[in-house]
PDB file of all heavy atoms in Angstrom:
ATOM      1  N   VAL A   1     -26.251 125.498 -96.414  1.00  0.00           N
ATOM      2  CA  VAL A   1     -26.920 124.888 -95.270  1.00  0.00           C
ATOM      3  C   VAL A   1     -28.217 125.625 -94.972  1.00  0.00           C
ATOM      4  O   VAL A   1     -28.230 126.838 -94.786  1.00  0.00           O
ATOM      5  CB  VAL A   1     -26.008 124.894 -94.028  1.00  0.00           C
ATOM      6  CG1 VAL A   1     -26.748 124.365 -92.814  1.00  0.00           C
ATOM      7  CG2 VAL A   1     -24.760 124.073 -94.300  1.00  0.00           C
ATOM      8  N   LYS A   2     -29.302 124.875 -94.971  1.00  0.00           N
ATOM      9  CA  LYS A   2     -30.618 125.425 -94.665  1.00  0.00           C
ATOM     10  C   LYS A   2     -30.904 125.301 -93.172  1.00  0.00           C
ATOM     11  O   LYS A   2     -31.319 126.241 -92.518  1.00  0.00           O
ATOM     12  CB  LYS A   2     -31.664 124.680 -95.486  1.00  0.00           C
ATOM     13  CG  LYS A   2     -32.950 125.373 -95.675  1.00  0.00           C
ATOM     14  CD  LYS A   2     -33.783 124.626 -96.717  1.00  0.00           C
ATOM     15  CE  LYS A   2     -35.147 125.221 -96.840  1.00  0.00           C
ATOM     16  NZ  LYS A   2     -35.975 124.475 -97.775  1.00  0.00           N
ATOM     17  N   LYS A   3     -30.709 124.076 -92.630  1.00  0.00           N
ATOM     18  CA  LYS A   3     -30.864 123.857 -91.197  1.00  0.00           C
ATOM     19  C   LYS A   3     -30.277 122.513 -90.815  1.00  0.00           C
ATOM     20  O   LYS A   3     -30.029 121.657 -91.659  1.00  0.00           O
ATOM     21  CB  LYS A   3     -32.324 123.945 -90.771  1.00  0.00           C
ATOM     22  CG  LYS A   3     -33.213 122.835 -91.261  1.00  0.00           C
ATOM     23  CD  LYS A   3     -34.624 123.037 -90.701  1.00  0.00           C
ATOM     24  CE  LYS A   3     -35.574 121.997 -91.217  1.00  0.00           C
ATOM     25  NZ  LYS A   3     -36.874 122.099 -90.611  1.00  0.00           N
ATOM     26  N   LEU A   4     -30.072 122.354 -89.528  1.00  0.00           N
ATOM     27  CA  LEU A   4     -29.601 121.089 -88.988  1.00  0.00           C
ATOM     28  C   LEU A   4     -30.812 120.345 -88.439  1.00  0.00           C
ATOM     29  O   LEU A   4     -31.688 120.949 -87.825  1.00  0.00           O
ATOM     30  CB  LEU A   4     -28.581 121.327 -87.877  1.00  0.00           C
ATOM     31  CG  LEU A   4     -27.341 122.149 -88.262  1.00  0.00           C
ATOM     32  CD1 LEU A   4     -26.390 122.255 -87.082  1.00  0.00           C
ATOM     33  CD2 LEU A   4     -26.634 121.529 -89.452  1.00  0.00           C
ATOM     34  N   LYS A   5     -30.865 119.041 -88.682  1.00  0.00           N
ATOM     35  CA  LYS A   5     -32.001 118.231 -88.244  1.00  0.00           C
ATOM     36  C   LYS A   5     -31.521 117.128 -87.314  1.00  0.00           C
ATOM     37  O   LYS A   5     -30.430 116.593 -87.486  1.00  0.00           O
ATOM     38  CB  LYS A   5     -32.690 117.563 -89.444  1.00  0.00           C
ATOM     39  CG  LYS A   5     -33.290 118.496 -90.436  1.00  0.00           C
ATOM     40  CD  LYS A   5     -34.758 118.680 -90.353  1.00  0.00           C
ATOM     41  CE  LYS A   5     -35.541 117.421 -90.133  1.00  0.00           C
ATOM     42  NZ  LYS A   5     -36.948 117.614 -89.958  1.00  0.00           N
ATOM     43  N   ALA A   6     -32.369 116.816 -86.346  1.00  0.00           N
ATOM     44  CA  ALA A   6     -32.110 115.691 -85.456  1.00  0.00           C
ATOM     45  C   ALA A   6     -33.393 114.885 -85.349  1.00  0.00           C
ATOM     46  O   ALA A   6     -34.473 115.458 -85.217  1.00  0.00           O
ATOM     47  CB  ALA A   6     -31.684 116.183 -84.082  1.00  0.00           C
ATOM     48  N   ARG A   7     -33.274 113.586 -85.433  1.00  0.00           N
ATOM     49  CA  ARG A   7     -34.445 112.713 -85.310  1.00  0.00           C
ATOM     50  C   ARG A   7     -34.118 111.656 -84.267  1.00  0.00           C
ATOM     51  O   ARG A   7     -33.050 111.041 -84.310  1.00  0.00           O
ATOM     52  CB  ARG A   7     -34.757 112.053 -86.647  1.00  0.00           C
ATOM     53  CG  ARG A   7     -35.861 111.035 -86.532  1.00  0.00           C
ATOM     54  CD  ARG A   7     -36.715 110.889 -87.736  1.00  0.00           C
ATOM     55  NE  ARG A   7     -37.481 112.098 -87.970  1.00  0.00           N
ATOM     56  CZ  ARG A   7     -37.723 112.598 -89.175  1.00  0.00           C
ATOM     57  NH1 ARG A   7     -37.236 112.012 -90.241  1.00  0.00           N
ATOM     58  NH2 ARG A   7     -38.443 113.660 -89.329  1.00  0.00           N
ATOM     59  N   LEU A   8     -35.058 111.450 -83.331  1.00  0.00           N
ATOM     60  CA  LEU A   8     -34.897 110.401 -82.325  1.00  0.00           C
ATOM     61  C   LEU A   8     -35.495 109.120 -82.883  1.00  0.00           C
ATOM     62  O   LEU A   8     -36.670 109.090 -83.253  1.00  0.00           O
ATOM     63  CB  LEU A   8     -35.592 110.792 -81.017  1.00  0.00           C
ATOM     64  CG  LEU A   8     -35.421 109.812 -79.863  1.00  0.00           C
ATOM     65  CD1 LEU A   8     -33.950 109.698 -79.463  1.00  0.00           C
ATOM     66  CD2 LEU A   8     -36.261 110.231 -78.675  1.00  0.00           C
ATOM     67  N   CYS A   9     -34.688 108.086 -82.975  1.00  0.00           N
ATOM     68  CA  CYS A   9     -35.119 106.819 -83.582  1.00  0.00           C
ATOM     69  C   CYS A   9     -34.931 105.670 -82.610  1.00  0.00           C
ATOM     70  O   CYS A   9     -33.923 105.597 -81.906  1.00  0.00           O
ATOM     71  CB  CYS A   9     -34.293 106.513 -84.826  1.00  0.00           C
ATOM     72  SG  CYS A   9     -34.473 107.726 -86.128  1.00  0.00           S
ATOM     73  N   VAL A  10     -35.902 104.770 -82.612  1.00  0.00           N
ATOM     74  CA  VAL A  10     -35.752 103.517 -81.883  1.00  0.00           C
ATOM     75  C   VAL A  10     -34.753 102.663 -82.649  1.00  0.00           C
ATOM     76  O   VAL A  10     -34.728 102.684 -83.880  1.00  0.00           O
ATOM     77  CB  VAL A  10     -37.120 102.789 -81.779  1.00  0.00           C
ATOM     78  CG1 VAL A  10     -36.949 101.348 -81.340  1.00  0.00           C
ATOM     79  CG2 VAL A  10     -38.044 103.527 -80.842  1.00  0.00           C
ATOM     80  N   ARG A  11     -33.959 101.937 -81.936  1.00  0.00           N
ATOM     81  CA  ARG A  11     -33.031 101.013 -82.575  1.00  0.00           C
ATOM     82  C   ARG A  11     -33.788  99.700 -82.750  1.00  0.00           C
ATOM     83  O   ARG A  11     -33.876  98.895 -81.833  1.00  0.00           O
ATOM     84  CB  ARG A  11     -31.782 100.868 -81.725  1.00  0.00           C
ATOM     85  CG  ARG A  11     -31.065 102.227 -81.616  1.00  0.00           C
ATOM     86  CD  ARG A  11     -29.993 102.234 -80.591  1.00  0.00           C
ATOM     87  NE  ARG A  11     -28.811 101.639 -81.184  1.00  0.00           N
ATOM     88  CZ  ARG A  11     -27.795 101.169 -80.466  1.00  0.00           C
ATOM     89  NH1 ARG A  11     -27.843 101.195 -79.153  1.00  0.00           N
ATOM     90  NH2 ARG A  11     -26.754 100.670 -81.075  1.00  0.00           N
ATOM     91  N   GLY A  12     -34.391  99.538 -83.940  1.00  0.00           N
ATOM     92  CA  GLY A  12     -35.318  98.446 -84.212  1.00  0.00           C
ATOM     93  C   GLY A  12     -34.778  97.062 -83.913  1.00  0.00           C
ATOM     94  O   GLY A  12     -35.549  96.158 -83.588  1.00  0.00           O
ATOM     95  N   PHE A  13     -33.479  96.898 -83.986  1.00  0.00           N
ATOM     96  CA  PHE A  13     -32.913  95.577 -83.718  1.00  0.00           C
ATOM     97  C   PHE A  13     -33.055  95.187 -82.248  1.00  0.00           C
ATOM     98  O   PHE A  13     -32.831  94.034 -81.890  1.00  0.00           O
ATOM     99  CB  PHE A  13     -31.446  95.490 -84.174  1.00  0.00           C
ATOM    100  CG  PHE A  13     -30.518  96.426 -83.449  1.00  0.00           C
ATOM    101  CD1 PHE A  13     -29.956  96.078 -82.233  1.00  0.00           C
ATOM    102  CD2 PHE A  13     -30.201  97.660 -84.005  1.00  0.00           C
ATOM    103  CE1 PHE A  13     -29.090  96.946 -81.572  1.00  0.00           C
ATOM    104  CE2 PHE A  13     -29.346  98.523 -83.365  1.00  0.00           C
ATOM    105  CZ  PHE A  13     -28.789  98.167 -82.131  1.00  0.00           C
ATOM    106  N   THR A  14     -33.454  96.136 -81.378  1.00  0.00           N
ATOM    107  CA  THR A  14     -33.669  95.806 -79.968  1.00  0.00           C
ATOM    108  C   THR A  14     -35.116  95.403 -79.694  1.00  0.00           C
ATOM    109  O   THR A  14     -35.465  95.102 -78.555  1.00  0.00           O
ATOM    110  CB  THR A  14     -33.259  96.976 -79.049  1.00  0.00           C
ATOM    111  OG1 THR A  14     -34.069  98.122 -79.334  1.00  0.00           O
ATOM    112  CG2 THR A  14     -31.791  97.319 -79.209  1.00  0.00           C
ATOM    113  N   GLN A  15     -35.959  95.391 -80.729  1.00  0.00           N
ATOM    114  CA  GLN A  15     -37.333  94.927 -80.565  1.00  0.00           C
ATOM    115  C   GLN A  15     -37.349  93.404 -80.525  1.00  0.00           C
ATOM    116  O   GLN A  15     -36.474  92.751 -81.102  1.00  0.00           O
ATOM    117  CB  GLN A  15     -38.215  95.410 -81.725  1.00  0.00           C
ATOM    118  CG  GLN A  15     -38.546  96.874 -81.645  1.00  0.00           C
ATOM    119  CD  GLN A  15     -39.528  97.279 -82.725  1.00  0.00           C
ATOM    120  OE1 GLN A  15     -39.107  97.614 -83.813  1.00  0.00           O
ATOM    121  NE2 GLN A  15     -40.806  97.229 -82.412  1.00  0.00           N
ATOM    122  N   ARG A  16     -38.358  92.851 -79.843  1.00  0.00           N
ATOM    123  CA  ARG A  16     -38.503  91.400 -79.754  1.00  0.00           C
ATOM    124  C   ARG A  16     -39.815  90.981 -80.396  1.00  0.00           C
ATOM    125  O   ARG A  16     -40.879  91.501 -80.040  1.00  0.00           O
ATOM    126  CB  ARG A  16     -38.440  90.942 -78.296  1.00  0.00           C
ATOM    127  CG  ARG A  16     -37.070  91.120 -77.691  1.00  0.00           C
ATOM    128  CD  ARG A  16     -36.878  90.412 -76.369  1.00  0.00           C
ATOM    129  NE  ARG A  16     -38.093  90.270 -75.581  1.00  0.00           N
ATOM    130  CZ  ARG A  16     -38.187  90.488 -74.280  1.00  0.00           C
ATOM    131  NH1 ARG A  16     -37.138  90.901 -73.610  1.00  0.00           N
ATOM    132  NH2 ARG A  16     -39.319  90.307 -73.645  1.00  0.00           N
ATOM    133  N   TYR A  17     -39.739  90.035 -81.317  1.00  0.00           N
ATOM    134  CA  TYR A  17     -40.924  89.552 -82.002  1.00  0.00           C
ATOM    135  C   TYR A  17     -41.907  88.978 -80.990  1.00  0.00           C
ATOM    136  O   TYR A  17     -41.527  88.252 -80.080  1.00  0.00           O
ATOM    137  CB  TYR A  17     -40.559  88.484 -83.037  1.00  0.00           C
ATOM    138  CG  TYR A  17     -41.766  87.934 -83.754  1.00  0.00           C
ATOM    139  CD1 TYR A  17     -42.383  88.666 -84.761  1.00  0.00           C
ATOM    140  CD2 TYR A  17     -42.309  86.713 -83.401  1.00  0.00           C
ATOM    141  CE1 TYR A  17     -43.504  88.190 -85.415  1.00  0.00           C
ATOM    142  CE2 TYR A  17     -43.426  86.227 -84.056  1.00  0.00           C
ATOM    143  CZ  TYR A  17     -44.026  86.969 -85.057  1.00  0.00           C
ATOM    144  OH  TYR A  17     -45.132  86.502 -85.696  1.00  0.00           O
ATOM    145  N   GLY A  18     -43.180  89.338 -81.141  1.00  0.00           N
ATOM    146  CA  GLY A  18     -44.219  88.868 -80.241  1.00  0.00           C
ATOM    147  C   GLY A  18     -44.353  89.709 -78.978  1.00  0.00           C
ATOM    148  O   GLY A  18     -45.329  89.580 -78.242  1.00  0.00           O
ATOM    149  N   VAL A  19     -43.367  90.566 -78.724  1.00  0.00           N
ATOM    150  CA  VAL A  19     -43.421  91.453 -77.558  1.00  0.00           C
ATOM    151  C   VAL A  19     -43.637  92.890 -78.023  1.00  0.00           C
ATOM    152  O   VAL A  19     -44.595  93.540 -77.616  1.00  0.00           O
ATOM    153  CB  VAL A  19     -42.115  91.361 -76.716  1.00  0.00           C
ATOM    154  CG1 VAL A  19     -42.124  92.350 -75.567  1.00  0.00           C
ATOM    155  CG2 VAL A  19     -41.913  89.939 -76.205  1.00  0.00           C
ATOM    156  N   ASP A  20     -42.754  93.375 -78.889  1.00  0.00           N
ATOM    157  CA  ASP A  20     -42.813  94.758 -79.381  1.00  0.00           C
ATOM    158  C   ASP A  20     -43.402  94.870 -80.777  1.00  0.00           C
ATOM    159  O   ASP A  20     -43.698  95.963 -81.226  1.00  0.00           O
ATOM    160  CB  ASP A  20     -41.400  95.367 -79.438  1.00  0.00           C
ATOM    161  CG  ASP A  20     -40.714  95.357 -78.101  1.00  0.00           C
ATOM    162  OD1 ASP A  20     -41.365  95.665 -77.100  1.00  0.00           O
ATOM    163  OD2 ASP A  20     -39.526  95.023 -78.073  1.00  0.00           O
ATOM    164  N   TYR A  21     -43.513  93.762 -81.499  1.00  0.00           N
ATOM    165  CA  TYR A  21     -44.041  93.830 -82.864  1.00  0.00           C
ATOM    166  C   TYR A  21     -44.461  92.440 -83.317  1.00  0.00           C
ATOM    167  O   TYR A  21     -44.051  91.434 -82.746  1.00  0.00           O
ATOM    168  CB  TYR A  21     -43.014  94.404 -83.836  1.00  0.00           C
ATOM    169  CG  TYR A  21     -41.899  93.449 -84.188  1.00  0.00           C
ATOM    170  CD1 TYR A  21     -41.953  92.709 -85.361  1.00  0.00           C
ATOM    171  CD2 TYR A  21     -40.794  93.285 -83.365  1.00  0.00           C
ATOM    172  CE1 TYR A  21     -40.930  91.836 -85.699  1.00  0.00           C
ATOM    173  CE2 TYR A  21     -39.778  92.418 -83.703  1.00  0.00           C
ATOM    174  CZ  TYR A  21     -39.849  91.693 -84.862  1.00  0.00           C
ATOM    175  OH  TYR A  21     -38.855  90.827 -85.190  1.00  0.00           O
ATOM    176  N   GLU A  22     -45.301  92.423 -84.335  1.00  0.00           N
ATOM    177  CA  GLU A  22     -45.645  91.177 -85.017  1.00  0.00           C
ATOM    178  C   GLU A  22     -45.569  91.402 -86.516  1.00  0.00           C
ATOM    179  O   GLU A  22     -44.667  90.937 -87.161  1.00  0.00           O
ATOM    180  CB  GLU A  22     -47.013  90.669 -84.574  1.00  0.00           C
ATOM    181  CG  GLU A  22     -46.959  90.119 -83.149  1.00  0.00           C
ATOM    182  CD  GLU A  22     -48.243  89.496 -82.690  1.00  0.00           C
ATOM    183  OE1 GLU A  22     -49.093  89.172 -83.534  1.00  0.00           O
ATOM    184  OE2 GLU A  22     -48.397  89.332 -81.469  1.00  0.00           O
ATOM    185  N   ASP A  23     -46.502  92.179 -87.070  1.00  0.00           N
ATOM    186  CA  ASP A  23     -46.489  92.461 -88.507  1.00  0.00           C
ATOM    187  C   ASP A  23     -45.567  93.632 -88.809  1.00  0.00           C
ATOM    188  O   ASP A  23     -45.584  94.635 -88.101  1.00  0.00           O
ATOM    189  CB  ASP A  23     -47.887  92.793 -89.012  1.00  0.00           C
ATOM    190  CG  ASP A  23     -48.813  91.590 -88.950  1.00  0.00           C
ATOM    191  OD1 ASP A  23     -48.301  90.456 -89.055  1.00  0.00           O
ATOM    192  OD2 ASP A  23     -50.022  91.783 -88.791  1.00  0.00           O
ATOM    193  N   THR A  24     -44.784  93.497 -89.888  1.00  0.00           N
ATOM    194  CA  THR A  24     -43.863  94.578 -90.247  1.00  0.00           C
ATOM    195  C   THR A  24     -44.046  95.082 -91.668  1.00  0.00           C
ATOM    196  O   THR A  24     -43.417  96.047 -92.058  1.00  0.00           O
ATOM    197  CB  THR A  24     -42.399  94.105 -90.115  1.00  0.00           C
ATOM    198  OG1 THR A  24     -42.194  93.008 -90.991  1.00  0.00           O
ATOM    199  CG2 THR A  24     -42.069  93.723 -88.691  1.00  0.00           C
ATOM    200  N   TRP A  25     -44.900  94.458 -92.439  1.00  0.00           N
ATOM    201  CA  TRP A  25     -45.045  94.805 -93.849  1.00  0.00           C
ATOM    202  C   TRP A  25     -45.708  96.167 -94.031  1.00  0.00           C
ATOM    203  O   TRP A  25     -46.470  96.623 -93.188  1.00  0.00           O
ATOM    204  CB  TRP A  25     -45.867  93.748 -94.583  1.00  0.00           C
ATOM    205  CG  TRP A  25     -47.233  93.607 -93.987  1.00  0.00           C
ATOM    206  CD1 TRP A  25     -47.596  92.788 -92.969  1.00  0.00           C
ATOM    207  CD2 TRP A  25     -48.392  94.369 -94.323  1.00  0.00           C
ATOM    208  NE1 TRP A  25     -48.911  92.981 -92.647  1.00  0.00           N
ATOM    209  CE2 TRP A  25     -49.436  93.949 -93.467  1.00  0.00           C
ATOM    210  CE3 TRP A  25     -48.666  95.359 -95.248  1.00  0.00           C
ATOM    211  CZ2 TRP A  25     -50.706  94.474 -93.527  1.00  0.00           C
ATOM    212  CZ3 TRP A  25     -49.943  95.879 -95.298  1.00  0.00           C
ATOM    213  CH2 TRP A  25     -50.950  95.438 -94.445  1.00  0.00           C
ATOM    214  N   ALA A  26     -45.416  96.799 -95.122  1.00  0.00           N
ATOM    215  CA  ALA A  26     -46.100  98.022 -95.553  1.00  0.00           C
ATOM    216  C   ALA A  26     -46.142  97.991 -97.066  1.00  0.00           C
ATOM    217  O   ALA A  26     -45.129  97.730 -97.712  1.00  0.00           O
ATOM    218  CB  ALA A  26     -45.370  99.272 -95.072  1.00  0.00           C
ATOM    219  N   PRO A  27     -47.309  98.207 -97.659  1.00  0.00           N
ATOM    220  CA  PRO A  27     -47.389  98.151 -99.114  1.00  0.00           C
ATOM    221  C   PRO A  27     -46.596  99.279 -99.768  1.00  0.00           C
ATOM    222  O   PRO A  27     -46.477 100.360 -99.208  1.00  0.00           O
ATOM    223  CB  PRO A  27     -48.885  98.291 -99.406  1.00  0.00           C
ATOM    224  CG  PRO A  27     -49.445  98.928 -98.205  1.00  0.00           C
ATOM    225  CD  PRO A  27     -48.579  98.550 -97.044  1.00  0.00           C
ATOM    226  N   THR A  28     -46.075  98.988-100.926  1.00  0.00           N
ATOM    227  CA  THR A  28     -45.374 100.007-101.698  1.00  0.00           C
ATOM    228  C   THR A  28     -45.918  99.990-103.118  1.00  0.00           C
ATOM    229  O   THR A  28     -46.407  98.966-103.588  1.00  0.00           O
ATOM    230  CB  THR A  28     -43.852  99.745-101.735  1.00  0.00           C
ATOM    231  OG1 THR A  28     -43.636  98.438-102.271  1.00  0.00           O
ATOM    232  CG2 THR A  28     -43.244  99.836-100.359  1.00  0.00           C
ATOM    233  N   ALA A  29     -45.851 101.109-103.773  1.00  0.00           N
ATOM    234  CA  ALA A  29     -46.339 101.211-105.151  1.00  0.00           C
ATOM    235  C   ALA A  29     -45.165 101.044-106.116  1.00  0.00           C
ATOM    236  O   ALA A  29     -44.071 101.555-105.870  1.00  0.00           O
ATOM    237  CB  ALA A  29     -47.000 102.565-105.383  1.00  0.00           C
ATOM    238  N   ARG A  30     -45.421 100.359-107.192  1.00  0.00           N
ATOM    239  CA  ARG A  30     -44.414 100.259-108.241  1.00  0.00           C
ATOM    240  C   ARG A  30     -44.365 101.594-108.975  1.00  0.00           C
ATOM    241  O   ARG A  30     -45.381 102.245-109.163  1.00  0.00           O
ATOM    242  CB  ARG A  30     -44.756  99.143-109.216  1.00  0.00           C
ATOM    243  CG  ARG A  30     -44.698  97.772-108.599  1.00  0.00           C
ATOM    244  CD  ARG A  30     -44.990  96.724-109.668  1.00  0.00           C
ATOM    245  NE  ARG A  30     -45.101  95.416-109.092  1.00  0.00           N
ATOM    246  CZ  ARG A  30     -44.078  94.588-108.926  1.00  0.00           C
ATOM    247  NH1 ARG A  30     -42.873  94.955-109.285  1.00  0.00           N
ATOM    248  NH2 ARG A  30     -44.264  93.409-108.399  1.00  0.00           N
TER     249      ARG A  30
END
């Protein structure tokens, strides 16, 4: 064990389209 990590994350399924987000794409490289 090196260390313990904690990350605070939004629960994305509680977002509403047109209110909290519109575009969701992000390019990825092959």
Side-chain angles (χ1 to χ4, degrees):
V1 175
K2 200 170 175 183
K3 69 178 177 175
L4 302 182
K5 297 259 317 176
R7 174 148 294 142
L8 184 63
C9 298
V10 166
R11 298 169 81 198
F13 63 85
T14 62
Q15 286 186 272
R16 292 193 330 224
Y17 179 77
V19 176
D20 302 318
Y21 74 98
E22 288 185 18
D23 293 331
T24 60
W25 59 271
T28 57
R30 294 183 187 271

